[in-house]
């Protein structure tokens, strides 16, 4: 409950807000398109393990997200309605991606003094879609510049994550093995930002937030060709979205 208390409190506060100021934004719709990225805190993606193959002992490394993914793009489309001069409920559809790498994940060590052979895996991109309902509160009105805080809750649809595993000269590239299944997860978050009005109809915004999603946990059999069974793979629960947006008011 602690993980969702902040966004739920913000939404409740926004719903109960009864500011009387009748600024020129009150009673207007707003469509916002945002692009950015989601930074992921350092954390373990996959546990290590050992197994036996005809070529020797396979050693699978413990892997972090930094080892196998690079920061990818994110984008979202939002529709909001300014109930008062500083209160704006919204609905948002978002897409985010981490770009998979062709990474070294371990090695095969033959008996005797023969050199080890590298194990590599070509990871697919990690992709997800998210639908959120939230409320944004604007705090400072200094001409065209306004600061805001927002809270939201929703659902996230994480796509299946696969990888091809190979060991040069020992194991040919495998079929696409599933590491994490497709799953719908609970999501919530908060964000802080500023909005700058360019014209009466358009504005630019910059925001940074903290986004929580229920983590997937899986014991995958993707490395059975290396004699390694039931390796634990997990999601990160928290990401840090950074977004630049353009808003049209009508």
């Amino acid at each position: 409950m602690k993980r969702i208390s902040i966004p739920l409190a913000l939404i409740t506060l926004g719903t109960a807000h009864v500011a009387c100021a009748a600024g020129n934004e009150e009673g207007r719709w707003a469509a916002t398109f945002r692009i950015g990225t989601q930074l992921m805190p350092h954390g373990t993606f996959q546990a290590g393990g050992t197994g036996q193959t005809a070529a020797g002992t396979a050693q699978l490394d413990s892997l972090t997200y930094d080892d196998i993914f690079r920061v990818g793009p994110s984008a979202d489309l939002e529709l909001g309605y300014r109930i008062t001069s500083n209160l704006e409920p919204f609905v948002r559809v978002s897409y985010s991606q981490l770009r998979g790498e062709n990474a070294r994940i371990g090695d095969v060590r033959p008996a005797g003094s023969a050199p080890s052979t590298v194990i590599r895996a070509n990871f697919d991109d990690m992709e997800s879609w998210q639908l959120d309902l939230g409320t944004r509160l604007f705090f400072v009105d200094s001409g065209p510049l306004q600061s805001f805080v927002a809270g939201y809750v929703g659902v996230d649809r994480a796509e299946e994550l696969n990888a091809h595993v190979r060991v040069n000269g020992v194991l040919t590239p495998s079929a696409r093995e599933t590491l994490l299944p497709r799953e719908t997860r609970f999501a919530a978050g908060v964000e802080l930002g500023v909005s700058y009005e360019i014209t009466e109809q358009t504005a630019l915004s910059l925001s940074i937030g903290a986004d929580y999603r229920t983590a997937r946990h899986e014991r995958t059999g993707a490395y059975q060709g290396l004699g390694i069974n039931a390796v634990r793979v997990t999601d990160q629960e928290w990401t840090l979205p950074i977004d630049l947006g353009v808003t049209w008011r009508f």
Side-chain angles (χ1 to χ4, degrees), residues 46-67:
Q46 175 179 287
T50 59
Q52 293 297 321
T53 71
T57 300
Q59 176 66 52
L60 189 67
D61 296 337
S62 176
L63 302 173
T64 69
Y65 273 80
D66 293 336
D67 293 329

Side-chain angles (χ1 to χ4, degrees), residues 55-198:
T57 300
Q59 176 66 52
L60 189 67
D61 296 337
S62 176
L63 302 173
T64 69
Y65 273 80
D66 293 336
D67 293 329
I68 57 177
F69 292 108
R70 295 294 175 266
V71 172
S74 65
D76 59 61
L77 185 62
E78 178 184 298
L79 181 64
Y81 182 75
R82 190 71 72 92
I83 295 178
T84 71
S85 61
N86 56 353
L87 171 63
E88 186 178 69
F90 62 84
V91 59
R92 179 192 296 165
V93 177
S94 306
Y95 168 80
S96 63
Q97 178 192 93
L98 289 176
R99 291 176 171 167
E101 297 281 296
N102 187 348
R104 178 192 181 282
I105 63 170
D107 52 43
V108 175
R109 302 167 185 173
S113 59
S116 299
T117 305
V118 172
I119 304 171
R120 302 192 69 85
N122 190 9
F123 292 87
D124 287 355
D125 296 337
M126 182 180 285
E127 300 176 307
S128 67
W129 292 87
Q130 190 164 317
L131 176 65
D132 297 310
L133 297 174
T135 296
R136 181 175 292 108
L137 296 174
F138 292 88
F139 288 129
V140 177
D141 189 355
S142 55
L145 186 66
Q146 290 185 302
S147 63
F148 62 83
V149 61
Y152 54 87
V153 295
V155 292
D156 176 83
R157 180 66 168 176
E159 297 297 331
E160 185 177 89
L161 177 65
N162 302 291
H164 297 260
V165 181
R166 74 176 186 276
V167 182
N168 292 336
V170 178
L171 183 68
T172 58
S174 67
R176 295 170 73 244
E177 299 286 353
T178 299
L179 300 176
L180 288 170
R182 181 181 290 109
E183 190 173 311
T184 300
R185 309 175 291 179
F186 170 80
V190 294
E191 61 187 28
L192 298 171
V194 292
S195 175
Y196 183 80
E197 186 179 275
I198 301 174

